[in-house]
Amino acid sequence: MGRTLDIALIQTRTPATAEAGLAHVAPLIRRAAEGGARLVLTPEGTNLLEQRRDRRGDAIRDEVDDPCVQGLRALAAELKIWLLIGSAIVKSGHVGDDRAANRSLLIDDTGAVVARYDKLHVFDVDLPNGEVYRESANIRPGDAAAVAETPWGRLGLTVCYDVRFPHLFRQLAKAGAAMIAVPAAFTVPTGEAHWETLLRARAIETGAFILAPAQGGLHEDGRRTWGRSTVVGPWGEVIGKLDNDDPGVLFATLDLDAVDTARRAVPALTHDRDFAPPVR
């Protein structure tokens, strides 16, 4: 019998404060643990989603003082599960820069934080429907990729907009990641057009499982996000997907041997060649 792992992706509609964020997500995580999941993953902005400038500053706290982060650490220890907080919006701690960090936190079954990753690529875009986003105004980007050890293999950490940068995923896979998390709060226009295609492409390119828990629906701060939390296998096949924006739990069983099978079949990760850049 092959190596398998039971996981769950949590789809949320996170409110605007960390206290409310914890109350919203904790019952869903409990449902995931009761359903047998050993690794549970939540979306980007699990603790809070607040883009209104007059309220944002008071809502964001240091990681050690954030009630959602600390509450979820305690919950992971209680339930004896590994938990990826897809990201929490917390103070970055950088002197002279008051922007927050968009930070992914991997918590083990004792409640300890075993890996941190600050989102590398910030979402500064002007969408065709007129929506404008300048994440760099409020979020300080990270400066390092991260692959974490788990009992089931290495887990690569990314957040949302990172999915558009395939070289990052390639580096995570070459560092041994058999699973790559893509917690997200995708906009509706980009989600409808690109979400599943991007996830499947990153899985095919890396021969890794892509685990993508998402936010979905209309949030307190006025934004709308595209749900459809998705698990993609290393051959690019969709293993599981929610078909809506509602809060919920997506269960999946990963056949971890499928990673080696896919990478042996198409060993592209070993075929890199140096080349001269194109002439501009």
Side-chain angles (χ1 to χ4, degrees):
M1 184 175 178
R3 297 177 303 128
T4 62
L5 169 62
D6 292 324
I7 70 163
L9 306 187
I10 307 299
Q11 184 161 291
T12 61
R13 188 173 298 150
T14 295
T17 67
E19 292 86 354
L22 177 61
H24 175 65
V25 75
L28 297 169
I29 294 171
R30 287 187 181 278
R31 189 194 310 173
E34 290 167 0
R38 301 169 69 193
L39 172 64
V40 178
L41 303 92
T42 69
E44 179 181 27
T46 291
N47 64 332
L48 61 91
L49 286 179
E50 179 56 271
Q51 61 184 358
R52 294 168 292 189
R53 290 182 179 273
D54 60 333
R55 304 186 186 187
R56 184 179 175 86
D58 291 337
I60 297 171
R61 308 176 197 181
D62 290 320
E63 179 188 316
V64 295
D65 297 322
D66 186 279
C68 186
V69 171
Q70 299 310 316
L72 293 182
R73 290 182 62 181
L75 186 60
E78 175 194 337
L79 299 174
K80 295 181 170 52
I81 58 170
W82 281 62
L83 174 64
L84 179 73
I85 301 176
S87 84
I89 312 303
V90 295
K91 291 183 178 180
S92 69
H94 285 268
V95 177
D97 190 341
D98 62 0
R99 292 178 296 173
N102 193 339
R103 180 170 297 159
S104 193
L105 298 158
L106 181 62
I107 301 166
D108 71 11
D109 55 5
T110 71
V113 177
V114 296
R116 292 177 175 84
Y117 165 75
D118 286 358
K119 183 179 180 181
L120 279 172
H121 301 99
V122 290
F123 191 59
D124 288 358
V125 302
D126 299 86
L127 298 179
N129 69 346
E131 292 182 37
V132 176
Y133 294 88
R134 294 291 181 268
E135 190 177 22
S136 62
N138 298 310
I139 296 295
R140 178 186 174 93
D143 54 16
V147 174
E149 298 286 353
T150 79
W152 311 282
R154 305 199 86 193
L155 173 67
L157 304 182
T158 77
V159 177
C160 200
Y161 189 47
D162 286 333
V163 76
R164 294 183 182 272
F165 299 86
H167 52 283
L168 170 60
F169 283 70
R170 188 172 188 82
Q171 290 299 317
L172 296 174
K174 293 182 81 167
M179 303 172 284
I180 302 176
V182 188
F186 249 60
T187 70
V188 172
T190 59
E192 188 172 19
H194 301 151
W195 173 243
E196 184 174 316
T197 299
L198 287 167
L199 298 176
R200 295 187 68 189
R202 298 297 85 84
I204 292 166
E205 293 161 354
T206 61
F209 285 99
I210 301 296
L211 315 178
Q215 297 277 356
L218 178 62
H219 298 265
E220 288 179 17
D221 66 353
R223 82 182 76 191
R224 288 185 181 273
T225 53
W226 181 258
R228 282 70 172 181
S229 297
T230 303
V231 178
V232 184
W235 199 244
E237 73 281 20
V238 174
I239 293 173
K241 178 181 177 180
L242 297 181
D243 63 359
N244 56 64
D245 293 330
D246 296 330
V249 182
L250 174 64
F251 292 95
T253 298
L254 309 185
D255 174 6
L256 298 173
D257 291 331
V259 174
D260 291 336
T261 300
R263 290 177 178 175
R264 281 196 305 268
V266 182
L269 293 174
T270 68
H271 289 166
D272 289 289
R273 297 185 64 233
D274 293 330
F275 55 88
V279 177
R280 296 192 178 190

